[in-house]
């Protein structure tokens, strides 16, 4: 079968190659791949920035934002042929650490976890794949065109879970949220904010393309002014930061309402310097009981919450998040997205199976 593979840490090594058909282990599902989403992590792996192949091989099958349809399911697995499924990305470390032992492998303490399509396990960018039933998530059949959004949505579901747990340290009734960045993470964060009944504001630098309309159609407010201007005008109770841009990050930390919570989900590039008044920022954080928290990855509970959120969302709106679809044989095109692209998807089903 065909798959999108790379030699990790080797630039320009990604290619569509022939790989062996999957051989499901005892109790595993056999799934026909439908599509994978492409995100910044995939682009960094393609550039050779990081990633690691399975121990017995040179090449890694990439793709962690999966969508497939069950071809074969063992009796008692809870799945049936035809079910629409997504594969979970991370697996707990083998020791395991305390967090992994309690099902919280997204919070692994020793870094010995593995991740499909990223670290030591093949991903889902292949025409078929196998997965353990405990690491497969069944989707509403109506999400067949957009189900690959579940993995970024699970990351957002975790972010909101973290925000709400932190807020619960005292009385917490937020009214306003600012999301910085209108990529898939930002827009899905806005969606979950709207589903919580909050007054949602989204900041991004573009003024054309689909992003402003997608925000407005959620019933949220779109901004493209400097971060300081937006913070002073909105005074959000919660900020979900999804750009990783240093100036935006520090701008978001200053100017929340008292008891503000800033959840950082964007990963910053090293080597960019920003001048800040550390004393003033520290004073504000302390005197207002503010909190800054980083959030990445997701566990099984977050996948379930994300599945519920997508099932409740407007399907047309979700479909508009996917601004480009390219077939597997032209997968290289998926790595050339512009600022106006939201989510680019590689389709895997060639119609011949």
């Amino acid at each position: 079968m065909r798959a999108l593979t790379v030699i990790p840490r080797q630039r320009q090594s990604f290619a569509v190659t022939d790989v062996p058909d999957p051989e499901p282990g005892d109790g595993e599902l056999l799934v026909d791949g439908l599509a994978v989403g492409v995100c910044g992590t995939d682009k960094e792996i393609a550039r050779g920035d990081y990633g690691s192949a399975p121990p017995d091989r040179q090449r890694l099958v990439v793709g962690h934002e999966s969508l497939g349809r069950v071809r074969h399911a063992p009796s008692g697995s809870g799945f049936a042929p035809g079910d629409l499924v997504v594969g979970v990305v991370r697996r707990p470390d083998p020791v395991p650490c305390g967090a992994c032992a309690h099902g919280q492998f997204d919070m692994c303490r020793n870094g010995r976890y593995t991740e499909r399509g990223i670290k030591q396990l093949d991903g889902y960018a292949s025409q078929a794949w196998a997965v353990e039933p405990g690491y497969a998530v069944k989707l509403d059949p109506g999400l067949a065109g957009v189900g690959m959004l579940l993995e970024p949505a699970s990351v957002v579901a975790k972010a909101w879970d973290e925000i709400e747990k932190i807020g619960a340290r005292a009385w917490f009734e937020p009214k306003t949220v600012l999301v910085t960045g209108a990529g898939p993470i930002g827009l899905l964060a806005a969606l979950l904010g709207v589903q919580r009944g909050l007054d949602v504001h989204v900041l991004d630098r573009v003024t054309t393309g689909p992003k402003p309309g997608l925000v407005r159609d959620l019933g949220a407010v779109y901004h493209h002014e400097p971060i300081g201007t937006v913070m002073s005008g909105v005074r959000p109770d919660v900020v979900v930061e999804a750009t990783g841009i240093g100036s935006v990050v520090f701008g978001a930390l200053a100017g929340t309402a008292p008891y503000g919570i800033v959840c950082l989900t964007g990963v910053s590039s090293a080597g960019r310097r920003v001048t800040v008044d550390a004393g003033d920022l520290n004073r504000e954080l302390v005197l207002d009981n503010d909190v800054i928290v980083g959030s990445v990855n997701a566990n099984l509970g977050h996948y379930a919450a994300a599945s519920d959120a997508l099932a409740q969302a407007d399907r047309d709106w979700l479909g508009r998040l996917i601004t480009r679809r390219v077939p597997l044989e032209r997968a290289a095109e998926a790595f050339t997205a512009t600022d106006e692209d939201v989510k680019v998807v590689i389709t895997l089903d060639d119609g011949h199976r």
Side-chain angles (χ1 to χ4, degrees):
M1 67 175 181
R2 306 291 277 166
L4 182 60
T5 67
V6 300
I7 301 174
R9 300 183 181 274
Q10 182 172 314
R11 277 183 175 274
Q12 298 180 335
S13 67
F14 75 98
V16 178
T17 60
D18 288 312
V19 300
D21 290 343
E23 296 183 6
D26 186 36
E28 289 187 333
L29 309 176
L30 178 60
V31 179
D32 288 318
L34 299 177
V36 290
V38 175
C39 75
T41 297
D42 298 300
K43 294 177 182 179
E44 290 165 356
I45 293 172
R47 288 199 304 264
D49 293 348
Y50 59 88
S52 54
D56 58 343
R57 263 183 288 121
Q58 183 184 36
R59 300 193 75 90
L60 169 74
V61 177
V62 298
H64 59 280
E65 297 183 355
S66 63
L67 178 65
R69 195 174 296 281
V70 175
R71 187 195 307 177
H72 173 74
S75 176
S77 67
F79 293 85
D83 283 346
L84 194 67
V85 293
V86 163
V88 174
V89 178
R90 184 172 288 192
R91 301 292 185 275
D93 72 80
V95 174
C97 73
C100 287
H102 288 82
Q104 298 170 354
F105 45 80
D106 56 313
M107 294 291 203
C108 182
R109 300 295 200 271
N110 61 23
R112 294 183 61 185
Y113 59 83
T114 54
E115 292 179 316
R116 294 198 62 161
I118 302 172
K119 184 184 179 187
Q120 299 178 342
L121 294 176
D122 279 334
Y124 300 107
S126 56
Q127 293 177 307
W129 36 271
V131 66
E132 315 94 302
Y135 291 96
V137 181
K138 188 184 301 185
L139 292 186
D140 184 301
L143 295 172
V146 295
M148 73 293 296
L149 295 172
L150 182 63
E151 197 279 335
S154 69
V155 173
V156 170
K158 177 185 175 177
W160 276 109
D161 182 42
E162 295 291 297
I163 290 164
E164 289 163 350
K165 285 176 177 175
I166 292 166
R169 65 197 164 117
W171 176 80
F172 186 54
E173 192 175 84
K175 302 294 184 184
T176 303
V177 58
L178 172 66
V179 178
T180 54
I185 293 291
L187 288 169
L188 290 167
L191 169 68
L192 270 65
V194 169
Q195 290 180 341
R196 284 163 167 74
L198 298 175
D199 176 21
V200 178
H201 297 252
V202 179
L203 169 64
D204 198 277
R205 62 185 179 182
V206 303
T207 57
T208 59
K211 293 178 180 180
L214 283 163
V215 171
R216 287 193 295 268
D217 289 348
L218 275 180
V221 180
Y222 188 83
H223 301 267
H224 59 85
E225 306 92 342
I227 180 67
T229 302
V230 176
M231 290 298 292
S232 62
V234 174
R235 292 280 286 169
D237 302 298
V238 173
V239 177
V240 180
E241 206 299 302
T243 70
I245 299 170
S247 59
V248 178
V249 171
F250 282 99
L253 300 182
T256 62
Y259 200 82
I261 299 173
V262 178
C263 183
L264 306 177
T265 67
V267 179
S268 303
S269 299
R272 298 181 180 179
R273 297 181 180 274
V274 178
T275 301
V276 297
D277 185 334
D280 185 64
L281 180 59
N282 178 76
R283 178 182 177 84
E284 181 175 333
L285 293 172
V286 171
L287 295 182
D288 282 351
N289 289 297
D290 291 343
V291 174
I292 308 161
V293 59
S295 184
V296 70
N297 208 268
N299 63 38
L300 296 176
H302 304 133
Y303 274 86
S307 178
D308 291 342
L310 293 187
Q312 296 170 29
D314 179 81
R315 306 294 163 81
D316 176 69
W317 187 87
L318 291 174
R320 288 163 55 204
L321 294 186
I322 301 168
T323 47
R324 258 203 288 174
R325 297 177 189 261
V326 299
L328 178 60
E329 295 298 333
R330 299 196 343 247
E333 297 175 21
F335 292 81
T336 60
T338 68
D339 280 347
E340 291 191 358
D341 276 314
V342 180
K343 172 58 68 179
V344 181
V345 164
I346 299 171
T347 58
L348 304 170
D349 186 354
D350 60 11
H352 298 304
R353 292 193 304 279

